[in-house]
Amino acid sequence: MSKQKILVLGWDAAEWKVIERLLSEGKMPAIQQLINRGVSARIKTMDPPLSPMLWTSIATGMRADKHGIYGFIEPTPDGEGLRPVTSTSRKVKAIWNILNQEGYKSNVVSWWPSNPVEPINGVMVSNLYQLATHELGHDWPMPAGTVHPEALQETLAEFRVHPHEITLEQALPFIPNLAHNEALRKEQRAFGVLKTMANAASVHGAACYLLEHTDWDFMAVYHDAIDHFSHLAMRYYPPRRPEIPENDYENYKDVVEQGYILHDRMLARTLSLIDQENTCILLVSDHGFHPDHQRPLAIPKEPSGPAVEHSPYGVFIMAGPGIEKGQRIPDISVLDVTPTLLHYLNLPIGNDMDGRVAFAAFSQKSPVMPIESWETRPGASGQHEALLREDLFAARQALMQLVELGYIDSPDDDKAKEVEKAIFENEYYLARNLIHGKKFVKAIEILQRIYEQTGIERYGQRLVYAYLSTRQYRAAEACIEQLKKSHLAAKTDAYTELGYEEPMYLEFLEGLLHMAMNRLHKALPVLQKISEKYPHNLQVALNIGQVYFQRKQYKLAVNAYIQALNIDAGNARAHYYLGLSFLRQDLLSEAIDEFLIAISQEFTEARFHYHLGEALARAGHEHDAIAAFEVSLRLHPTNIKAKKWLLSLLESKNEQFERRAQIAKELEQVVSGEIGVIVSPLDLFIDPIVQVLHSNNLAVSQREELKNLHHSTEILDHLSAPLIHVPISMLAYLPSRYNYRIVKIELDTYLDQEYKKWEAWLAAQAQVQVHYLDWNEWQESNAAQTDLLVEFLSDLQTF
């Protein structure tokens, strides 16, 4: 039996929406075969969706703050110039370094970034390998550091294809009008297509040679062609949009589709060269690329602006021994790739890795073996021992390619200024990645500094978002006002010329601030105004739904979330909140369906399982509800509300006595006490009852003690008495760390809206005791009602 191997194929920017369309037309048979043999999923990208950062996260399982690759360019070691980001800037081991220590032999082709190549046990070909540095007919030497071992350099040089070697016959499927349009042959866009084809052919040629003629256990091949084809021509992808000139559309509408078909043919050839029965094959992209109505109309005027065309979900397909067959699994993250591959090889996962194992991919589940860190594991890893310099001419060629793609600006003569700008940009990318990983303190520290030093609006806008995420609302408000003033000022500074102006992002942040501060009447018109101008902006649609949901206008929230799903049918958050809006209207079947869809897309979201459990419990499906709450608790073990629900369900079923005892003990340790709560839609009905309670030696906390409950629930820890009275609208702010006994005053004149608030709150609770006090009966028989009320409240306990 042959030795089991792993082959990783990276397709930068591969997008499911394009692939699924081509699959339905039978145009990608190789990838269809791979899907049928294994599992497929959407893979979630990170912010910012920049390829060098993301492919390094894929190869390490770590975020940028740990692995050290932030953007496309970096200062040279002497600080006097710029160069494309290098492999020597990576601070941690990639998966091939880990495998090197464990005795595996690896081949790595064109991974970004991999220049200069590392001296691993196997072969490494750098991401500069395929770039043509001279005109056709001149010598095309490979710079030092392009191939390891150097003995293979001459052999692999033969597989490089120059853009001018692409024949008309090869180019016609991409641009059919080249056959009769001489002027089109001279266009820079057309040459960009030829260059991308040549680069793809070069990488594929080197990879196929190594597959056939070298011994390997692990092989990783990176293709950037889909990303380049998409940046060049996705705007021309059918159907034509009104703003696209018809002539351009006719010339370039086939480029993207043919790019995918080319990759499928390369995949077919690759699969023919390996022992598929004994090889685990992983095809992965770092993000997607909007092919539809979500395509931006314009590229932001900023470095790395083209990344706005990227979509948040890429492609993940895994097939081979030990992998499920023909299954669609929940979304995973780009951070999960390396942990999943290590687990496949029965190797431990570093505790310092940010990703997790995609267990759903495996036909047989086994527990994770942890290790503190692979960074301290001894052994020859094949990493660089010291910072190396690449050939400056080759570096400039790669730099200019990034300029052509629009990722970076062309360097100025003022090198020091360019270096300074690059440093600021990389710090900005790092801060965004930190925010995505919820590491807000460090992100805010970086953003405050670089915004103060440069005045770049994007930096300030991202700082506002970080403030909002940490509930620093006053700081966010002050920063918004400062941004408004600077936005109106003349942009003469070299930095502020790079300001991000679309899509009305500053106004969007202002809407988020109003939402965070519960100024919903101000948030809604701001968001609606943006939505009118940008009807395909998903985040705006989601937040409009959130405003309606917070206002408990659930029918309007349903409409808003359906609109969000019209923009992106696969958005898990939209399905979740649509389900929650149904749940609050007692539409339990509809809610369950939406929660299940959300879970199928993002299984690791504990709140999705929690509210599925609530819906199932209220629908009478107790056993399914118990299972849902158990999953929720595995994902979020400290969720008190989930434990309360689970204990309540187990007690009602009178089963799992050991589990019941365990949960009860856990709750006893975390629940802070028990509070009595009197609620009424109108405060004037509460005062007479409070007086009666006082006369029966039941003290009630002063109303002033609770005035800031909606800002901080910590005030409940310092009440003068464990009995409070709150309006029904404040019920949602009561924290789950207390148990509650609720006295609800019922009136004939009960306001419908307030009644809905009570029902919605109560339906979401477990283990809440309720005493219904009829106001009319109270007035007719005060003494009898008083006895019942005092009996209900007299033994409130504090823990």
Side-chain angles (χ1 to χ4, degrees):
M1 183 176 180
S2 300
K3 185 177 181 180
Q4 193 166 301
K5 301 181 178 184
I6 290 180
L7 172 63
V8 178
L9 301 173
W11 287 7
D12 199 308
E15 167 65 47
W16 272 120
K17 291 178 182 177
V18 177
I19 290 174
E20 286 168 348
R21 173 178 168 179
L22 295 175
L23 288 174
S24 69
E25 297 171 359
K27 294 179 178 178
M28 296 189 78
I31 204 170
Q32 182 69 72
Q33 173 199 348
L34 204 60
I35 292 170
N36 294 343
R37 289 183 51 231
V39 299
S40 57
R42 298 189 310 177
I43 190 165
K44 293 182 288 185
T45 191
M46 294 188 292
D47 186 65
L50 305 180
S51 293
M53 177 189 291
L54 295 171
W55 286 104
T56 306
S57 289
I58 288 172
T60 63
M62 296 185 185
R63 292 183 178 276
D65 60 309
K66 294 179 182 177
H67 66 56
I69 303 295
Y70 308 135
F72 295 97
I73 57 177
E74 62 188 16
T76 53
D78 59 13
E80 295 183 358
L82 298 174
R83 66 182 185 185
V85 64
T86 61
S87 62
T88 52
S89 294
R90 196 184 72 238
K91 298 185 293 188
V92 299
K93 296 171 183 174
I95 185 170
W96 49 82
N97 301 125
I98 294 172
L99 296 181
N100 206 90
Q101 290 181 219
E102 299 301 303
Y104 290 82
K105 195 168 188 177
S106 300
N107 291 343
V108 180
V109 181
S110 193
W111 204 267
W112 197 3
S114 57
N115 187 77
V117 289
E118 296 174 277
I120 60 173
N121 177 23
V123 181
M124 182 172 281
V125 181
S126 94
N127 57 293
L128 300 185
Y129 162 79
Q130 67 271 21
L131 301 181
T133 55
H134 291 77
E135 293 294 326
L136 186 64
H138 293 78
D139 287 340
W140 181 8
M142 282 194 290
T146 302
V147 174
H148 166 81
E150 287 188 19
L152 278 174
Q153 185 162 299
E154 186 175 339
T155 299
L156 292 179
E158 297 300 317
F159 295 98
R160 295 179 303 167
V161 178
H162 195 282
H164 288 126
E165 292 180 301
I166 299 296
T167 67
L168 180 62
E169 183 181 7
Q170 291 169 329
L172 284 178
F174 289 80
I175 313 175
N177 288 344
L178 286 174
H180 53 78
N181 189 332
E182 293 288 339
L184 182 60
R185 298 180 188 182
K186 300 177 182 179
E187 279 198 14
Q188 190 63 33
R189 285 173 293 184
F191 180 70
V193 172
L194 302 183
K195 184 163 62 173
T196 302
M197 293 173 65
N199 291 348
S202 299
V203 172
H204 179 60
C208 288
Y209 176 83
L210 295 177
L211 283 168
E212 279 193 284
H213 299 286
T214 65
D215 183 28
W216 55 275
D217 304 307
F218 172 87
M219 185 155 175
V221 184
Y222 166 75
H223 286 282
D224 61 10
I226 286 178
D227 183 71
H228 290 197
F229 285 134
S230 298
H231 282 301
L232 281 165
M234 187 63 86
R235 67 194 66 140
Y236 312 117
Y237 185 69
R240 182 176 77 87
R241 295 191 293 179
E243 67 275 6
I244 298 298
E246 188 168 352
N247 185 59
D248 284 347
Y249 175 77
E250 289 300 326
N251 286 335
Y252 296 107
K253 62 182 175 63
D254 299 315
V255 169
V256 171
E257 177 176 306
Q258 289 301 318
Y260 276 82
I261 291 173
L262 171 64
H263 278 67
D264 193 72
R265 289 172 178 167
M266 291 191 296
L267 174 61
R269 173 59 177 158
T270 300
L271 295 178
S272 73
L273 297 175
I274 64 174
D275 176 9
Q276 296 187 54
E277 293 300 316
N278 294 292
T279 304
C280 175
I281 304 155
L282 173 61
L283 192 153
V284 63
S285 64
D286 56 336
H287 54 72
F289 206 104
H290 289 300
D292 50 20
H293 55 279
Q294 291 184 269
R295 274 179 283 172
L297 297 175
I299 303 300
K301 295 180 288 185
E302 63 175 88
S304 302
V308 73
E309 296 182 290
H310 297 164
S311 69
Y313 295 97
V315 171
F316 178 91
I317 305 170
M318 191 173 186
I323 303 300
E324 294 280 4
K325 296 185 185 298
Q327 297 294 315
R328 186 81 173 200
I329 63 173
D331 297 350
I332 70 165
S333 165
V334 292
L335 293 165
D336 299 339
V337 173
T338 284
T340 299
L341 292 176
L342 290 175
H343 187 69
Y344 183 84
L345 293 171
N346 296 313
L347 292 174
I349 314 303
N351 290 334
D352 54 348
M353 290 182 176
D354 297 303
R356 64 182 75 190
V357 175
F359 285 109
F362 294 87
S363 54
Q364 291 188 347
K365 311 303 187 273
S366 60
V368 167
M369 296 185 295
I371 185 177
E372 191 61 32
S373 175
W374 279 100
E375 302 311 307
T376 56
R377 183 93 156 203
S381 65
Q383 290 174 287
H384 291 299
E385 295 183 359
L387 185 65
L388 302 175
R389 293 186 183 220
E390 75 274 52
D391 181 281
L392 295 180
F393 183 74
R396 177 166 176 77
Q397 296 300 320
L399 195 68
M400 294 312 297
Q401 184 184 48
L402 296 175
V403 172
E404 291 171 10
L405 287 170
Y407 277 119
I408 63 172
D409 294 330
S410 181
D412 294 339
D413 292 334
D414 186 348
K415 293 181 180 179
K417 192 70 170 178
E418 288 299 313
V419 169
E420 184 182 43
K421 287 167 64 175
I423 292 172
F424 283 135
E425 277 299 297
N426 280 351
E427 289 188 291
Y428 171 62
Y429 301 147
L430 172 60
R432 286 177 59 176
N433 197 253
L434 288 166
I435 290 172
H436 185 268
K438 304 188 185 305
K439 300 177 181 180
F440 297 109
V441 174
K442 181 65 174 176
I444 288 173
E445 176 187 316
I446 294 171
L447 290 168
Q448 285 175 332
R449 174 171 49 79
I450 64 176
Y451 177 50
E452 180 181 345
Q453 292 176 336
T454 67
I456 293 180
E457 288 186 26
R458 290 175 293 113
Y459 300 175
Q461 290 166 354
R462 199 65 59 167
L463 178 59
V464 171
Y465 183 80
Y467 282 145
L468 291 174
S469 300
T470 52
R471 300 185 180 181
Q472 299 182 57
Y473 302 140
R474 297 305 175 193
E477 196 164 33
C479 194
I480 286 175
E481 290 305 311
Q482 183 179 353
L483 284 163
K484 283 182 178 179
K485 292 176 183 177
S486 65
H487 190 72
L488 296 173
K491 295 181 179 178
T492 56
D493 182 87
Y495 292 119
T496 55
E497 288 175 357
L498 304 174
Y500 183 106
E501 298 175 2
E502 301 291 345
M504 297 173 72
Y505 193 63
L506 187 56
E507 288 87 345
F508 178 58
L509 289 172
E510 195 165 23
L512 295 183
L513 175 64
H514 289 319
M515 287 179 63
M517 299 187 74
N518 210 31
R519 301 190 297 226
L520 302 180
H521 64 290
K522 291 185 177 181
L524 188 58
V526 171
L527 296 172
Q528 287 175 328
K529 177 184 175 184
I530 301 173
S531 181
E532 289 173 5
K533 187 172 182 181
Y534 301 99
H536 302 309
N537 188 301
L538 177 64
Q539 294 305 315
V540 174
L542 288 170
N543 280 282
I544 288 174
Q546 191 67 20
V547 170
Y548 286 131
F549 186 85
Q550 287 181 226
R551 294 170 72 168
K552 297 181 171 54
Q553 296 174 290
Y554 298 122
K555 290 183 179 179
L556 292 175
V558 165
N559 293 336
Y561 289 123
I562 289 175
Q563 174 57 30
L565 289 170
N566 286 335
I567 297 171
D568 183 1
N571 187 269
R573 181 181 165 193
H575 282 292
Y576 166 70
Y577 277 108
L578 178 58
L580 210 50
S581 301
F582 284 139
L583 181 60
R584 296 299 169 244
Q585 297 177 81
D586 288 325
L587 300 172
L588 301 179
S589 178
E590 292 87 342
I592 290 168
D593 288 344
E594 294 301 323
F595 291 143
L596 288 172
I597 294 172
I599 288 168
S600 72
Q601 293 165 340
E602 294 193 21
F603 185 84
T604 57
E605 279 285 350
R607 57 183 176 160
F608 294 2
H609 297 275
Y610 171 83
H611 283 108
L612 173 63
E614 180 188 333
L616 289 166
R618 290 174 54 193
H621 306 301
E622 290 90 351
H623 283 294
D624 290 338
I626 289 170
F629 285 122
E630 289 284 19
V631 174
S632 179
L633 283 169
R634 281 199 293 274
L635 295 168
H636 185 193
T638 60
N639 187 335
I640 297 175
K641 291 180 71 173
K643 290 180 180 180
K644 288 181 177 180
W645 266 110
L646 188 54
L647 182 60
S648 177
L649 288 167
L650 292 176
E651 287 177 343
S652 70
K653 301 297 291 182
N654 195 31
E655 59 187 30
Q656 297 189 38
F657 300 105
E658 290 185 7
R659 181 65 172 138
R660 281 165 51 185
Q662 178 190 1
I663 297 170
K665 184 177 180 180
E666 290 174 359
L667 284 172
E668 187 175 326
Q669 293 171 346
V670 295
V671 173
S672 301
E674 188 175 37
I675 294 177
V677 182
I678 308 171
V679 295
S680 171
L682 300 172
D683 282 352
L684 64 92
F685 294 102
I686 292 181
D687 290 336
I689 295 173
V690 170
Q691 293 175 13
V692 169
L693 291 172
H694 275 299
S695 66
N696 282 272
N697 298 317
L698 288 172
V700 182
S701 294
Q702 297 297 312
R703 196 170 305 174
E704 291 74 18
E705 297 179 57
L706 301 168
K707 63 181 180 181
N708 292 317
L709 179 62
H710 60 295
H711 286 310
S712 173
T713 63
E714 302 299 322
I715 59 179
L716 293 180
D717 299 332
H718 309 287
L719 294 172
S720 57
L723 184 57
I724 60 177
H725 56 95
V726 299
I728 286 177
S729 59
M730 296 287 283
L731 282 172
Y733 299 105
L734 294 177
S736 59
R737 68 177 183 275
Y738 284 93
N739 290 332
Y740 297 99
R741 296 189 196 181
I742 309 293
V743 177
K744 178 196 170 194
I745 301 174
E746 297 189 292
L747 310 165
D748 288 340
T749 58
Y750 213 92
L751 304 175
D752 285 345
Q753 190 62 31
E754 295 300 313
Y755 176 79
K756 290 175 183 176
K757 291 177 183 178
W758 160 263
E759 289 297 323
W761 180 83
L762 183 62
Q765 306 306 310
Q767 291 193 320
V768 172
Q769 300 179 57
V770 183
H771 178 80
Y772 294 94
L773 182 70
D774 187 285
W775 181 252
N776 293 324
E777 291 186 12
W778 170 273
Q779 290 179 311
E780 293 172 5
S781 179
N782 184 292
Q785 292 292 319
T786 297
D787 290 342
L788 293 172
L789 181 63
V790 170
E791 181 182 353
F792 181 70
L793 294 173
S794 60
D795 61 343
L796 286 173
Q797 300 291 319
T798 56
F799 301 153

